[in-house]
Amino acid sequence: MDVFFNSVMTPPAGSNFTSDPRIRYDRLSGRWFIIIIDVPGGMGNQANRVLIAVSSGPTISASSSFTFYQFQMSGTLFADYPTLGIDANALYIGANMFTLAGSFSSTLGSVVNKASLLSGGPITATTFTLLATPTGAGPFTPQGVDNYDPNP
């Protein structure tokens, strides 16, 4: 996955690795969606990116291609344990957020407009902050859910 996502990893990509992949087939669009995080410098002490790959069609073969995207859920925190859900309109990505010193900070959720991914970009993502905090109620490791209803 490090080689597969190299083009969208946090620079310099050569010192990074990827972690925590999630893969879904979206039968509404006939595409495969893969998300994963990168770990800049291999340490987890820098803000990182959520990486997204979208297949060119429903069948994966030697002639398949993928389009790659990335975004940051936070410019000051490290996103870990991402989750993925898909419906007709969006990808729903949840993550636990850690300070760059490694302490749990909060949980976030991002909604990525699926049309922006299927049209070649640019990516459109909206992030919802502070779904949970260390001392407050809320979801730990918020889960995106799939909904295959074409009219959600």
Side-chain angles (χ1 to χ4, degrees):
M1 296 304 269
D2 296 351
V3 172
F4 184 71
F5 279 102
N6 185 270
S7 66
V8 289
M9 290 171 71
T10 303
S15 63
N16 301 354
F17 67 88
T18 55
S19 184
D20 305 334
R22 302 283 187 210
I23 302 169
R24 292 281 189 285
Y25 177 72
D26 176 36
R27 63 183 180 204
L28 296 174
S29 66
R31 307 286 182 94
W32 288 91
F33 290 87
I34 304 169
I35 70 161
I36 199 165
I37 60 165
D38 71 349
V39 181
M43 301 291 289
N45 59 0
Q46 293 177 237
N48 62 335
R49 293 177 173 181
V50 175
L51 314 175
I52 303 172
V54 182
S55 71
S56 58
T59 303
I60 305 300
S61 69
S63 62
S64 298
S65 63
F66 284 83
T67 305
F68 297 94
Y69 302 92
Q70 59 81 19
F71 73 100
Q72 282 189 307
M73 293 183 87
S74 168
T76 59
L77 299 170
F78 182 84
D80 209 359
Y81 310 111
T83 64
L84 174 62
I86 299 176
D87 73 9
N89 300 309
L91 276 62
Y92 302 91
I93 301 170
N96 294 334
M97 306 303 290
F98 293 87
T99 67
L100 302 183
S103 299
F104 175 71
S105 171
S106 61
T107 61
L108 303 181
S110 291
V111 178
V112 180
N113 181 301
K114 191 163 68 171
S116 71
L117 299 172
L118 297 175
S119 66
I123 187 174
T124 304
T126 303
T127 298
F128 297 89
T129 60
L130 301 176
L131 300 178
T133 63
T135 59
F140 187 74
T141 314
Q143 302 291 311
V145 296
D146 296 331
N147 179 358
Y148 294 113
D149 182 344
N151 301 304

